[in-house]
Amino acid sequence: PALAIRVDHMFRRQTEIADALQASLLPQHLPEMPGVELAARYLAATEGIEIGADFYDAYRTPAGWGLSVGDVCGKGEEAAAVTAAARHAIRVIAHGCSDPAEVLTGANEILLAEELSGGFVTASIAHLSWRDGALHAVLGSAGHPSAAVIRSDGRVQMAGGGGLPLGLLADFE
């Protein structure tokens, strides 16, 4: 019985550590965007001590706001390191640049330079800005599934996706 209690305690502690690390990879709060309601909920595909490698973020850009969502191939600590690098690279580059293609290209360069062994990254990002009373979105994709655009009348339109994942090739488009 003492061994079972000890194993249970160790498993709970590892799960708490994994949960804390996962929480550090996601934004603590979403920014206020005039005329936009943001909501997010992260649900891990698995339970237990494995650290997920998914990320999302919302942040200011020079001419509006940015949104990003992505996934890293793999699980565990190495994938978590790549997740953190990708999320923060996108956020930092977007702080000075509103063009999703430039942001993804810069993030790719950073991931390649760091030579992280946790896997490649798929990501979709958007730049949002208000112009002439309408919200405009410019999308960029690096191998992540297409974004769904839900129109005010309820229609759903799938945006074009594609692109190469980040962290694989220097000749990135």
Side-chain angles (χ1 to χ4, degrees):
L3 181 58
I5 292 171
R6 183 178 173 120
V7 169
D8 181 64
H9 177 68
M10 287 176 25
F11 180 76
R12 287 177 194 248
R13 180 72 179 134
Q14 287 180 327
T15 301
E16 289 171 1
I17 292 169
D19 289 346
L21 180 54
Q22 182 68 59
S24 74
L25 298 174
L26 301 172
Q28 298 298 314
H29 65 278
L30 298 173
E32 294 287 325
M33 293 184 195
V36 176
E37 182 179 331
L38 289 180
R41 172 99 170 135
Y42 178 80
L43 298 171
T46 60
E47 290 187 29
I49 60 173
E50 285 295 316
I51 302 161
D54 305 309
F55 67 91
Y56 66 88
D57 204 356
Y59 41 83
R60 293 277 304 160
T61 68
W65 298 270
L67 303 174
S68 65
V69 62
D71 188 18
V72 175
C73 174
K75 298 284 181 214
E77 291 85 4
E78 289 179 345
V82 176
T83 301
R87 176 180 171 238
H88 293 295
I90 290 169
R91 175 184 267 269
V92 168
I93 295 167
H95 184 73
C97 173
S98 298
D99 179 5
E102 287 184 40
V103 172
L104 290 172
T105 298
N108 185 59
E109 291 169 1
I110 289 171
L111 291 173
L112 288 172
E114 292 298 316
E115 298 179 4
L116 300 167
S117 62
F120 61 86
V121 180
T122 65
S124 289
I125 66 173
H127 177 258
L128 306 176
S129 61
W130 285 100
R131 285 185 299 195
D132 301 323
L135 183 64
H136 291 260
V138 179
L139 305 176
S141 177
H144 203 68
S146 298
V149 179
I150 303 171
R151 302 287 180 191
S152 59
D153 63 4
R155 288 181 299 124
V156 177
Q157 178 182 357
M158 298 305 291
L164 294 172
L166 305 172
L168 288 178
L169 302 170
D171 188 17
F172 180 79
E173 184 176 312

